[in-house]
Structures are given as structure tokens and as C-alpha cells.
Amino acid sequence: MILKNGNTFHLQGRSTSYIILINEYGDLIHYHYGKKLADMDYCARIANESRSVMSYDEKGICLEISLLEYPAYGYTDLRSPAYSVKNKYGNSVSRLLYKDYCIIQNEVQQIEGMPCVFSGDKKAQTLEITLRDNIINLEVILSYTVFEEYDIILRSAKFINTADEVMTVETCYSASIDFEKGEYDLVYFPGAWIREREFIRTEIRLGEKLDISNARGGSGHAVNPFVMLCSKDATERKGEVYGFSLIYSGNHSTVVECDIYGNVRVKQGINPFEFEHELRPDETFYTPQSVLCYSDSGFGGLSREMHDVYRNNLCKSKWANMDRPILINNWEATYFDFDEEKLMEIVKKAKALGIELFVLDDGWFGKRNDDKSSLGDWFVNKQKLPSGINGLAKRVNNEGLKFGLWFEPEMVNPDSKLYRTHPAWAISVPDRRPAFGRNQYMLDLSNNDVCDYIIKSLSDILGNANISYVKWDYNRMMTDMPCKGYNHRYTLGLYKVLDALTEKFPDVLFEGCASGGGRFDAGILAYSPQIWTSDNSDAVSRLKIQYSTSMCYPLSTISAHVTASPNHQVGRITPLKTRADVAYAGIFGYELDITQMDAVETEEVKKQIEFYNEIRTLVRTGDFYRLQSPYDGNYCSWQIVAKDKSEFVLFGCRVLALPNTKDAILKLEGLDESLQYTDIDTEEQFGGAELMYRGILPKYKNYDFSTFVRRFKSK
Ligand code: GLA
């Protein structure tokens, strides 16, 4: 609900309030974000403090000591700004004052050319506050969407040039909030290839400015566009937590700045580094959407809220709300070394195991037998696949499996027909040869002709064979950007291509990928309901990767495969059971040479598939509780509970075996106290209250990487 009471705007979510005030001069003041408050005019609360050695104007106003809603730099506030627009005089001093507002019923802000959260069957309202700088004739419309059933606020900004001259947007965060002085920690998720999204918690100290930004092209392995600000006492189960997730796949930035008095400013949006956008008279510029989420029940509470929002109200694909097929991917089984008959052996074995989808990975096109050539040449290699893609898809379908195909549409190898025909389509700067990444260049998606080529070449393949699934890969970082702001233009081009293809092929399940989880962001999730989480599929590494990915992103988006042992990335030897038990907490599949499995392994895999079939709707739709963090020691455990609390799955892992040691009891969460739950395998019965308040003893085997998965039902 959005309430306007005097000069107070009060946005109320399910149990949250977000309160904005207009002061007597028209500045937008931030008053409260957190637990729900009563509806009243809070303007009397504006503190008219003054402090020595501060800048102030002729009325004595000093914005630096105020909590601001969308701050500028240079007009009495010298903290880092939410926006900066260079005007005709060459400076970027600005002060935006309140002009007017409107409330749009039953609508979520939609942003031209960019993915957004949608309302679906949820009730939403949007507040638009127009601010204006009369000196330079700049208008900015701040947009806030609030949902009756969620504790999230969607924020974005729209810049309008109402002057007669060009101005240049240099900084344009989607959201900025000033939090009152307090003791806060920051949680963020840096990483690298095969080490994605580590969970890092750090204190925010006086005067500190933490820049959680990425300028590597895509949202990147290096740091995810999701952070949490939390109270010092916040844990998985309790404490105040604020989440900030950007729906954007390009260079992003979240800055957390603790000012000289201890107030904390958090802002999130496009990374201003190497960004600018020229705004001609009457033109507008839209920022991407930032999703703010509040919970007073710790990280767990925040995650469950984000999971509900992102699995129900972000991805338009029909697959978002459907169980996904269990797949087999040939990459780690064959790499580039395959032919049609080898693939069909895998398919036949997959059928016998109960697998539903066969995905043909890299190496099927052009003359690609290694990673040195052919990206861009999206036509089949008949030497490897004499039946062509259409024929192979038919053969796979005849075995009773769906067929899926890998593409890396944004790339081109210099050794390709495409590059030889259109060298200017690769991103480059004048007089320099572009840098390589995995022997490839990036295509210039700011060029419509390039976007049209990608749409057409993929459409030709998807339209001429029965392809049910596409793995959309992206395997290098962006360098050699031709001008400031290029990365944003590229990102808009990417969204245009994804929009076109997902609309044209609504039945195809798209899976995102970027050298594993190098572009695991809400922008990509708007098109592909699942993303390959990491090229590291070692079960022990995956404990951490999946654990921290789940902080923001639902299990329905986290692709997890059982792969070979010793593992190809880290060489670790783990039991087949461990690998499957970890992968169940996601979109499950296999990626190893199943034709090499012996009879015992074959039987085990059949059972794993039967088991996942039974739990996959629960995994996709249930509430996720993280019980023990792999970052805290030798254990990791989690629980997935049905929304109606009638059933749950419990997973535990003891990483290294311990001699003669008792494992700690696990206190479960999210159950119905009054229900009796039965372990489906052992038929043991436990009370809901007993499981939560007394706990259950885990049962580990006495070897390294021992795991268990137990399934309980109340009826
Ligand atoms: C990337 C992906 C892998 C695989 C290879 C193929 O590394 O993350 O899953 O598709 O590309 O080249």
C-alpha cells in the first residue's frame, strides 16, 4: 500500500515500511526502511541539526547531515552521490527538488528495454516522485513499487532532459538509501571461475567506503550484483537484513559508504566507471531495476522472500513454474571429441537410467574441434553429425528423450566464416587489435545488424529441429570497449536478442551459463529460469557455491550436475552418493560418461533419478532453510520444506571424517509443531516440535565427504 500523509510518502509491504519525507525546501529525505510503522505524517521528525565545519546554503541547509533519498554531490553534501549529470557549463552540481508525484495502481514499473520484476497475480502499486533541478532543467523520476504480499521495494530512476542543450549522465544509481548511524555488517559475494560467489561478511567501519563493483563486461565471476546489509547480531535465523539485488547483466556497482558521523549510504546500479550517456533535449534515460528486500528473520528470512519473488515474478518463461527435465550433458563426457554414434550411446544409456533430456554441448558446429575456431558459424559439422541437428534431434526423440543444444551467440572466433565476412562486427577500438579471451572476440551487440544476425542464425536452427532446450554460454570478459557507456549499450542489445528469441520460441527452456556462473544475475534469470552455477561440479566445492548462491537466488535457478570422480576441476574423489545428494538441491542433471558406469553405479543412478523425481517439485517450490554453513567448519546442512509444511527433505554433509567424535544435533526449521513427520525410508516418526526444539541426530558414515538425504512426510 502507498500512503501519502501530509509530506510523508509511506510504502507498506507485507510487514515492511519505507518512508520518504519532503522537507520544507523540497529535498527528499529518507526516514525509515524496516519493520512496518503506523501511518502518520512524520515530517516533524526531520532533524534540523547543524554542525561545525560543514557546508550550508543561505538558509542554513546542510544536506550532508541529512538522510537523503537520491543525493547529489557538491551542493552541501560531499558524500558520494546517487547521480551526477554534467551540464552545459561543464560542472555537475545539482539539487533535485520535489515537483510532484503519482501513484499507479496495480502496476509494477516496467523499464524500456530492460528486464524487471512483474506483478503476476500479486497486488502491486507504484509511486513515481518527480524531482526537478530548475537551474539545469533536469528532471528525475524516482520509481518505487511495493507489493501487498512481499517485503520488497523495486526502485529505479528515469532521467529527462528538459533543457535546450545536451547533458551527460555520468552516474545514475537505481537506488540509494541512507541508513541511520548504527552497527552494520556487509555481506557480499566475490569469486572467480570455479570459485563463484564466496560468502564474505565484513564490518562497516567509520569513514569506510566499500565498492562492490564489477567492470569486466558481464555481471561477472568477480562479484555478484547482490549484497546484504545486516545488523551486527544477524544470523541465519534472526536479526535485521536488507538485500539489494540488481536486475542487470552488465557492469554493476554497489557502494556502501559510512560517513563521518556513522550514517551508512548504500547505492546500487550501473557502474559509473567508464559510463556516460549523452542525453539530448527531451530524451530520457532509464536505469535498471534494483530489488530491495527487508527481513527481520535473518539471512534465511531474506533468502526465502527473494526466492519467492524471483521464482514467481521475474522469469516470463513457462518453464519458470514447471518441473525441469533431468538432463545429461555430454561436455565432461566427451569435450570436443565426439561423433553421432558416441552421442547416441550416451542417449541410449540415459534413457535406460530415466534421464529426460540430452544436451549436446560445445563442438557441434563449423569445424570446431577445440576452442580455437568457429564461434559465430552456427551450422552443423556434418563430419561429426551426419544426420544434422534435425536428424540427431529426431534420433534422440525416438529414444524418448528431449534434445537440447549449446550456443555461445555473443562470440566470434577470428578463425570463422563470420569473422572473415564481418570483421567489423567484433568489438574493438580504432587502431588496436582487440584482446583475446579463450581465443575469441566478442560480437558488437550495440549494432542492430549483429543482433539481427544472432536472432536469425539461432532461429534457423531452433525453427528447423525439435530443440527443447538451449544452453546460452558466454565465455570471456569484455575488453576494448569503444567508448564510455558502451557496456550498457551492449547489455541492452543482449536483452533485445534474448527478448526476441525467448518470445519466438516460448516452449524452449533456456539455461544461462558464462564459464559456469560468471553471469548469475537477475537480468539473465528474467529469460532463463535456470543457470549453470559453476564449472566446478566437485560436491565439496559445490557445498559453498550453492550455499552462497542460495542467499539471493532460488534453488529452481541453480543447475547442479553429478559429474565424474576424480572431479575434473579439483581432482577430488567423492562417493557417487555425495555428488547426487549435493546436486539434489537444485536443477538436477548428469555430466559424465554414463556409458562407462558399471552395473552397481547404473543401479545407483537409476535410484537417484527416481528419488529426484519424487522431490523435484518440492525443491523448486519449497522454502529453503540453511542449517549449518560450510563456511563455519566441517559441516553443511540444509532443509527444503513444502509451503504447507506437510513434507520436507533434510540434507547433511560432514566434509572430513572425524575419529571418535559425536556430531552435533541438528535443530530443524519451518515445520508445523503439531504435526507428526515420518522418515519415508526408516518409518521413524518425529513430532514437528521435537524436530525443531530438540533436534535430530545426523547419521554420517565414517569416511570423508559423507552425506545423507532424508525425506519426511506428515501423512
Ligand atoms: C563453458 C561452460 C561449460 C561448457 C564449455 C564449452 O566453460 O561453462 O559448461 O559448456 O564452456 O566450451
Side-chain angles (χ1 to χ4, degrees):
M1 194 172 352
I2 296 173
L3 306 158
K4 169 104 170 31
N5 199 336
N7 277 339
T8 298
F9 290 106
H10 189 159
L11 289 79
Q12 291 185 329
R14 191 181 62 236
S15 52
T16 326
S17 281
Y18 188 108
I19 299 177
I20 305 162
L21 312 179
I22 311 166
N23 73 8
E24 56 183 309
Y25 310 106
D27 301 293
L28 225 52
I29 304 295
H30 179 74
Y31 183 61
H32 171 74
Y33 181 30
K35 253 183 125 66
K36 204 177 234 179
L37 304 187
D39 168 35
M40 60 176 271
D41 185 349
Y42 286 96
C43 272
R45 307 281 197 270
I46 295 177
N48 279 318
E49 287 181 86
S50 64
R51 290 186 190 276
S52 310
V53 200
M54 280 281 137
S55 310
Y56 50 89
D57 72 2
E58 73 275 11
K59 292 184 188 123
I61 304 164
C62 170
L63 293 177
E64 182 143 21
I65 51 176
S66 306
L67 302 184
L68 300 172
E69 202 47 40
Y70 203 65
Y73 170 81
Y75 182 81
T76 76
D77 184 3
L78 298 173
R79 294 171 288 184
S80 66
Y83 74 100
S84 145
V85 175
K86 191 156 91 185
N87 56 46
K88 64 174 176 185
Y89 306 107
N91 68 71
S92 46
V93 173
S94 168
R95 184 179 184 192
L96 287 170
L97 296 177
Y98 176 75
K99 183 182 166 199
D100 54 27
Y101 79 100
C102 69
I103 294 172
I104 308 162
Q105 301 297 341
N106 302 324
E107 251 187 59
V108 175
Q109 48 180 278
Q110 290 302 311
I111 302 173
E112 234 173 69
M114 272 184 275
C116 293
V117 164
F118 56 81
S119 53
D121 60 357
K122 305 281 185 296
K123 285 210 179 93
Q125 278 182 308
T126 296
L127 167 68
E128 289 191 346
I129 302 179
T130 303
L131 304 170
R132 184 171 170 83
D133 183 331
N134 266 330
I135 313 278
I136 58 167
N137 293 320
L138 166 70
E139 282 194 4
V140 175
I141 301 179
L142 300 183
S143 179
Y144 302 80
T145 297
V146 64
F147 289 79
E148 237 168 63
E149 285 175 55
Y150 288 140
D151 280 327
I152 60 161
I153 309 272
L154 309 177
R155 282 195 61 176
S156 66
K158 176 174 162 185
F159 289 70
I160 308 165
N161 180 356
T162 64
D164 295 330
E165 317 79 22
V166 170
M167 41 179 94
T168 308
V169 181
E170 296 174 325
T171 302
C172 52
Y173 280 91
S174 304
S176 174
I177 303 194
D178 287 347
F179 290 88
E180 277 286 1
K181 177 177 183 168
E183 301 223 305
Y184 304 99
D185 282 349
L186 172 71
V187 178
Y188 64 104
F189 302 91
W193 176 68
I194 68 172
R195 186 165 50 75
E196 287 90 342
R197 291 173 293 286
E198 294 190 54
F199 179 97
I200 303 283
R201 180 172 183 162
T202 179
E203 205 181 326
I204 302 168
R205 285 168 301 207
L206 193 65
E208 206 156 42
K209 188 167 163 191
L210 299 155
D211 191 351
I212 312 299
S213 301
N214 173 54
R216 302 170 80 84
S219 53
H221 287 95
V223 70
N224 196 260
F226 172 65
V227 309
M228 293 186 283
L229 183 80
C230 63
S231 56
K232 267 262 165 298
D233 63 351
T235 64
E236 264 300 310
R237 297 186 184 207
K238 66 171 183 57
E240 291 198 292
V241 184
Y242 299 87
F244 297 81
S245 168
L246 191 67
I247 306 185
Y248 193 60
S249 312
N251 291 345
H252 56 89
S253 163
T254 307
V255 173
V256 180
E257 180 184 12
C258 184
D259 73 17
I260 53 181
Y261 298 114
N263 303 312
V264 174
R265 175 169 292 174
V266 182
K267 50 186 193 167
Q268 182 173 64
I270 295 174
N271 189 348
F273 175 69
E274 284 294 304
F275 173 82
E276 69 178 26
H277 182 88
E278 207 178 75
L279 208 55
R280 286 187 283 269
D282 296 327
E283 276 186 355
T284 51
F285 178 80
Y286 296 83
T287 72
Q289 195 170 67
S290 177
V291 182
L292 281 52
C293 183
Y294 167 79
S295 166
D296 65 352
S297 344
F299 304 123
L302 187 113
S303 299
R304 286 185 289 281
E305 188 72 359
M306 289 302 299
H307 291 182
D308 281 344
V309 174
Y310 277 176
R311 62 190 168 190
N312 297 324
N313 298 80
L314 178 62
C315 183
K316 294 198 185 112
S317 165
K318 68 177 203 185
W319 282 101
N321 297 311
M322 282 165 62
D323 287 338
R324 318 290 161 68
I326 298 175
L327 66 78
I328 174 87
N329 178 307
N330 73 309
W331 179 241
E332 288 200 11
T334 65
Y335 295 103
F336 293 103
D337 185 17
F338 60 83
D339 58 23
E340 196 165 317
E341 291 325 305
K342 173 66 193 171
L343 299 181
M344 287 312 295
E345 272 175 44
I346 295 177
V347 170
K348 284 180 184 139
K349 179 75 185 250
K351 173 67 185 164
L353 295 171
I355 290 173
E356 299 153 312
L357 163 69
F358 168 73
V359 177
L360 173 54
D361 210 280
D362 195 355
W364 58 267
F365 51 91
K367 53 182 181 61
R368 189 158 165 100
N369 292 315
D370 55 32
D371 62 14
K372 293 192 175 59
S373 82
S374 303
L375 290 174
D377 295 347
W378 300 114
F379 39 81
V380 71
N381 178 337
K382 285 260 184 173
Q383 268 166 357
K384 280 181 173 175
L385 305 173
S387 311
I389 290 299
N390 186 21
L392 178 63
K394 278 190 186 141
R395 288 186 72 184
V396 173
N397 292 161
N398 287 342
E399 295 297 331
L401 270 79
K402 293 177 191 297
F403 178 72
L405 201 56
W406 180 96
F407 292 91
E408 197 179 351
E410 299 157 72
M411 303 291 165
V412 64
N413 284 113
D415 182 6
S416 65
K417 284 196 176 145
L418 181 66
Y419 185 75
R420 282 187 283 275
T421 320
H422 293 289
W425 282 9
I427 299 176
S428 67
V429 296
D431 302 331
R432 286 180 199 277
R433 299 271 294 165
F436 292 102
R438 206 193 189 200
N439 308 302
Q440 65 206 46
Y441 295 150
M442 290 189 68
L443 288 172
D444 176 9
L445 269 66
S446 75
N447 175 342
N448 279 332
D449 293 344
V450 175
C451 294
D452 291 346
Y453 170 78
I454 296 175
I455 295 167
K456 181 170 184 320
S457 51
L458 265 71
S459 297
D460 284 349
I461 294 171
L462 298 180
N464 287 308
N466 190 19
I467 297 172
S468 309
Y469 160 109
V470 164
K471 179 172 170 187
W472 185 292
D473 213 337
Y474 169 92
N475 281 319
R476 65 157 289 177
M477 283 148 264
M478 191 185 290
T479 57
D480 307 283
M481 287 171 243
C483 59
K484 286 193 172 191
Y486 177 79
N487 181 255
H488 181 63
R489 285 196 237 156
Y490 177 94
T491 307
L492 294 181
L494 169 65
Y495 291 147
K496 195 168 70 178
V497 171
L498 285 170
D499 264 325
L501 286 166
T502 50
E503 267 167 35
K504 205 163 172 186
F505 299 99
D507 295 333
V508 173
L509 167 59
F510 283 79
E511 172 157 344
C513 178
S515 300
R519 206 164 56 176
F520 205 119
D521 62 62
I524 295 298
L525 285 176
Y527 302 96
S528 45
Q530 61 194 57
I531 297 180
W532 180 227
T533 314
S534 172
D535 275 347
N536 187 348
S537 51
D538 163 54
V540 176
S541 309
R542 277 292 184 124
L543 293 174
K544 285 187 174 165
I545 295 171
Q546 292 178 202
Y547 183 92
S548 45
T549 302
S550 78
M551 287 286 158
C552 176
Y553 306 104
L555 304 191
S556 61
T557 66
I558 297 177
S559 275
H561 298 172
V562 174
T563 56
S565 177
N567 173 268
H568 290 196
Q569 293 78 37
V570 298
R572 199 175 342 255
I573 295 174
T574 52
L576 182 53
K577 171 173 168 55
T578 300
R579 283 173 270 152
D581 283 358
V582 175
Y584 292 143
I587 299 301
F588 188 69
Y590 290 83
E591 190 166 333
L592 73 172
D593 192 350
I594 46 177
T595 63
Q596 301 299 309
M597 288 185 330
D598 63 23
V600 176
E601 287 171 326
T602 301
E603 278 318 296
E604 193 174 341
V605 167
K606 275 187 193 163
K607 293 215 172 70
Q608 290 173 352
I609 288 169
E610 276 166 28
F611 179 74
Y612 186 73
N613 267 328
E614 282 165 24
I615 65 163
R616 65 174 157 188
T617 308
L618 174 61
V619 172
R620 183 173 57 79
T621 59
D623 283 331
F624 191 52
Y625 292 87
R626 292 173 296 255
L627 304 178
Q628 287 172 305
S629 167
Y631 288 88
D632 290 345
N634 200 29
Y635 296 87
C636 174
S637 55
W638 53 56
Q639 201 193 333
I640 308 164
V641 184
K643 285 277 178 199
D644 66 1
K645 299 181 189 295
S646 62
E647 58 172 320
F648 67 94
V649 168
L650 176 66
F651 160 85
C653 176
R654 186 177 63 193
V655 179
L656 293 181
L658 297 169
N660 195 19
T661 307
K662 183 174 176 181
D663 301 304
I665 199 156
L666 284 177
K667 291 192 175 171
L668 306 195
E669 285 191 69
L671 305 179
D672 184 331
E673 288 183 4
S674 62
L675 289 180
Q676 282 288 111
Y677 292 94
T678 309
D679 180 320
I680 307 255
D681 286 334
T682 65
E683 297 187 355
E684 286 168 280
Q685 296 216 347
F686 300 88
E690 178 191 2
L691 289 167
M692 290 194 288
Y693 312 133
R694 197 273 164 184
I696 186 167
L697 279 169
K699 292 179 186 163
Y700 292 110
K701 298 270 172 24
N702 203 20
Y703 49 71
D704 289 347
F705 322 126
S706 167
T707 52
F708 67 83
V709 169
R710 296 176 70 173
R711 194 166 159 233
F712 296 80
K713 274 200 167 183
S714 68
K715 287 170 228 114

